[in-house]
Amino acid sequence: MILRGKAHRFGDDVNTDYIISGKYKFKTLDMKELAKHVMEDLDPDFYNKVEPGDFIVAGRNFGCGSSREQAPLAIIHANISAVIASSFARIFYRNAINTGLPVVEVDTSAISDGDELEVNLGTGKVTNLTTGVEITAKPLPEVMIRILNDGGLASHIRKHKGFALED
Amino acid sequence: MGKTIIEKILSAHSGCDAAAGDIVLAKVDYVMGQDGTSPLAIKAFREMEVDKVFDPAKVAMVIDHSAPSPNEGVSALHKLMREFSGEQGITLYDIGEGVCHQLMPERGHVGAGDLVIGADSHTCTYGALNAFSTGVGSTDLAAAMATGKLWFKVPETIRFECNGVLPPGVFAKDLILYLIGQVTADGATYKAAEYAGEAISALSVDARMTVSNMAIEMGAKAGLMEPDDKLKEWLAAHGRTDWNPVWPDPDAVYHQVLRYDVSNLEPQVAKPHTVDNVSPISEVAGTPIQQAVIGTCTNGRLEDLRIAASILAGRKIHPNVRLIVAPASRTVLLEAIKEGIISTLVEAGAAVVTPGCGPCVGTHNGVPSDGENVISTANRNFKGRMGNSNAFIYLASPATVAASAIAGEIADPRVYFTK
């Protein structure tokens, strides 16, 4: 699967409170409503800036902090197609795969705000169309590819009536 | 080749010879969700088209993050949890029972050697009980409720050997803040921590939970400790007379072993807006504060309230400060009432709120104003964490928070501990 869009650049240690604040997430399961507040504390206008298919690009430790799954869900509903970061906090990483948000772990130092990117999820290749720089991501563990291919963990469990992590 | 604590627990629960780097499917002994994560877990559980949880005796849901409900949106989600719990016959801890991470150990849901998952990042707290416990998201919780299992990547372990004796007025919270400052917020990402050494052994089991609670703030998947007689007695007193202690092998392979001597440690403070932005108190003393919070899953236990009360006894908080106290559970609150701790705190000027998470997560019970400084015993000081992104949060021990509430500015508590 090949994704194309613009980079929205953030720094290191973007925590889940910044992705979606606790003051909103406890109130509703309406992710479209939560999506309006994504990244609000870092960039109040973020939701309005995003064109469908755009990427969040960040530094180290993206998604640190709480276990809230509203974080990847709200990102998906804000029309972001994938998050690209130098590293991810582990709970966020699992939650993203479980909910079907592609996450790409790659050195992002050569990506600036506004760059046009092409991401090949199959090969892990990220091409910066603005600068011509190509970088290749760390591959996902096999188990996560299985879950992602089944459309997330809930469909994986429904389809196999439990975990089916090996053939 | 020897094994770490987490490799042994994951081996025992997966039936594999688990070593760092392996992926295992492991049985879980107990699963838990709170009111910020359970509603989505219930939704995911329905999507899985499973009728019943794997074992109703091994599942609990806790209403603690917004309890009692501050608005109708939250009320609807609480109602969903109550209905699901009734339908499935699982344990529901409703408003006022307390914070999930206090209830799980206190009500005997965690034993040594257990594997516990919770849909809350601070589930790593029970590492202090020699259990592998870790935070997951709602869909992982739903999968564990449905199947009684979850997959894990077996992590490498960083061992923190803490020796020496903590000086008077310096506590478990200061130790863990110091360690986080040393290794930083992602210093242990994808890894487990093992905390050991005489400074850890000397801590009460309650204080050990303060240390394990904050393992996630260095990115760790777990914050494990070795078992000892103190733990065995504590578990027995909380209904767990079964005893399956897990020690690391002497030749266990560690990613890193870090050694510290705590004998000269000062009280520590994490400054806004990251938990690893840690300074000794001498560098931040004198910073004015408008609100002080004692409570949370980090420091809302009886021992914490007792320390705060020992400082506040016969004194008044500064007129420019609000002091909010949230005991970690109903049991803690009742014990604190019996000991006279609550009257001491209230006489000093504290506002005592329902046992729960409210002030820490910005849902209610003490949202600060623009430009205000808060000193709190919580575990996170992210911008906006307490519900206002224009406030500034400092993290410290209950002693430092109590001393600061009296002074109206960040203050060194050690003056109250010298004879």
Side-chain angles (χ1 to χ4, degrees), chain B residues 168-223:
Chain B
V170 182
F171 298 92
K173 180 62 163 290
D174 301 302
L175 171 59
I176 188 61
L177 286 175
Y178 175 75
L179 295 179
I180 293 164
Q182 292 295 303
V183 303
T184 78
D186 65 348
T189 297
Y190 307 131
K191 299 191 175 59
E194 265 182 27
Y195 304 107
E198 61 193 24
I200 299 292
S201 306
L203 297 174
S204 69
V205 173
D206 279 5
R208 291 175 192 178
M209 284 195 250
T210 301
V211 174
S212 292
N213 175 268
M214 294 190 73
I216 180 73
E217 309 310 331
M218 46 174 76
K221 186 170 191 160

Side-chain angles (χ1 to χ4, degrees), chain B residues 39-126:
Chain B
L40 272 178
I42 294 168
K43 192 164 169 267
F45 185 83
R46 302 291 192 213
E47 283 168 23
M48 289 172 187
E49 295 177 1
V50 177
D51 294 333
K52 288 281 171 195
V53 299
F54 79 105
D55 182 349
K58 294 181 175 177
V59 183
M61 286 187 177
V62 185
I63 296 178
D64 58 357
H65 275 57
S66 313
S69 169
N71 59 57
E72 69 268 35
V74 170
S75 303
L77 298 178
H78 287 174
K79 187 178 174 196
L80 177 71
M81 289 173 71
R82 292 183 187 112
E83 287 169 353
F84 182 81
S85 302
E87 167 201 308
Q88 295 288 330
I90 63 174
T91 302
L92 176 81
Y93 292 111
D94 215 315
I95 63 159
E97 287 289 355
V99 182
C100 54
H101 303 309
Q102 176 63 14
L103 293 170
M104 290 285 289
E106 183 187 283
R107 305 298 174 92
H109 300 315
V110 187
D114 279 0
L115 197 169
V116 177
I117 60 122
D120 186 281
S121 60
H122 293 107
T123 303
C124 52
T125 306
Y126 332 136

Side-chain angles (χ1 to χ4, degrees), chain B residues 197-339:
Chain B
E198 61 193 24
I200 299 292
S201 306
L203 297 174
S204 69
V205 173
D206 279 5
R208 291 175 192 178
M209 284 195 250
T210 301
V211 174
S212 292
N213 175 268
M214 294 190 73
I216 180 73
E217 309 310 331
M218 46 174 76
K221 186 170 191 160
L224 292 139
M225 293 186 185
E226 293 172 3
D228 62 3
D229 287 345
K230 211 187 269 183
L231 174 63
K232 191 178 179 184
E233 283 166 28
W234 192 98
L235 286 170
H238 293 83
R240 293 297 296 250
T241 47
D242 55 319
W243 177 240
N244 302 299
V246 180
W247 282 275
D249 288 325
D251 59 343
V253 179
Y254 292 97
H255 173 72
Q256 220 178 351
V257 179
L258 300 170
R259 293 185 175 84
Y260 300 92
D261 188 323
V262 305
S263 304
N264 296 312
L265 194 68
E266 273 188 51
Q268 305 284 309
V269 176
K271 299 171 291 185
H273 295 290
T274 58
V275 185
D276 58 359
N277 188 18
V278 176
S279 288
I281 193 137
S282 49
E283 290 176 18
V284 285
T287 307
I289 56 149
Q290 289 76 40
Q291 183 166 301
V293 177
I294 298 171
T296 78
C297 57
T298 318
N299 278 125
R301 285 173 276 273
L302 188 63
E303 180 176 303
D304 300 314
L305 302 185
R306 203 181 275 148
I307 292 165
S310 75
I311 292 173
L312 286 157
R315 297 187 172 91
K316 294 279 180 204
I317 60 170
H318 192 277
N320 295 345
V321 173
R322 292 101 54 187
L323 171 61
I324 296 166
V325 175
S329 72
R330 186 192 300 282
T331 306
V332 169
L333 174 58
L334 277 169
E335 295 282 330
I337 288 169
K338 282 182 205 152
E339 275 192 33

